[in-house]
Amino acid sequence: MIQKIFVGDRIILLKPHKKVYFPAEDSFLLLKNLKNIKGKILEIGTGSGIISIYLAKKGIEKIYATDINKKAIENAQKNARINKVENKIKFIYSDLFENIKNQKFDYIIFNPPYLPTTKEEKIKDELNSSFDGGKNGLKIIRRFLIQAKNFLKKQGVIYLIVSDLADLEKLKTFIYKNGYSYKEIDRQSFFFERIILYKIYTTK
């Protein structure tokens, strides 16, 4: 059953899939802060496709969207067709940047698997890739940041969602050591965690 999602003045139509992460608070925190971006966009971990679909509906013409979950790519492609923006988004099955070749972007957007996860908490299912951040919640984020610099234009910007359940002090050190600076631009608090949106820039 197709669901209507209201994002500002836009309506996004999404068909849920049981093997694909459906938009939640972290998705909406991102969407709230993407109103004014433009240029060439890469979304890593597109899931249902809501972020890229929203940007396409706002008129951005050059959007690339990846996911490590093949079911997510299929679902996002269907959702893009439902919203009549399939010609504006190139969906790519990829582990982070693995299948992105010779491209530079103005913005890279990532709502990563950020939860600290024990071996017992992992699941043998496609959905594991949507939440499993490893022992301290930073496993995928670190890989992402090491690679992202190669795909950013000189003045490019990264939007990254994190959780205070992860080791944010280690992440801060890692960001600076790898030639980035950052600022927190938004957050949302719950009784069990805070989700935070970082805007990250290269410094060298």
Side-chain angles (χ1 to χ4, degrees), residues 69-87:
N69 177 357
K70 288 183 179 179
K71 295 280 195 300
I73 293 296
E74 293 167 6
N75 182 235
Q77 287 173 326
K78 288 177 183 176
N79 287 328
R81 286 195 292 271
I82 291 168
N83 288 275
K84 300 180 180 178
V85 294
E86 67 271 23
N87 294 329

Side-chain angles (χ1 to χ4, degrees), residues 148-190:
K149 253 194 282 188
N150 298 321
F151 298 88
L152 270 181
K153 291 183 180 179
K154 189 173 181 181
Q155 303 300 321
V157 172
I158 295 168
Y159 281 92
L160 179 72
I161 292 282
V162 298
S163 165
D164 68 353
L165 295 178
D167 192 332
L168 295 186
E169 282 304 309
K170 282 188 177 178
L171 177 58
K172 179 180 177 180
T173 300
F174 189 84
I175 286 171
Y176 290 134
K177 279 187 175 179
N178 282 272
Y180 294 103
S181 64
Y182 81 100
K183 63 180 178 180
E184 178 187 321
I185 59 171
D186 208 349
R187 65 169 57 199
Q188 188 171 358
S189 297
F190 306 93

Side-chain angles (χ1 to χ4, degrees), residues 113-118 132-142 163-168 170-171:
Y114 52 66
L115 293 179
T117 311
T118 65
D132 180 5
K135 186 177 179 181
N136 60 8
L138 303 180
K139 180 180 178 182
I140 305 302
I141 292 173
R142 281 174 167 159
S163 165
D164 68 353
L165 295 178
D167 192 332
L168 295 186
K170 282 188 177 178
L171 177 58

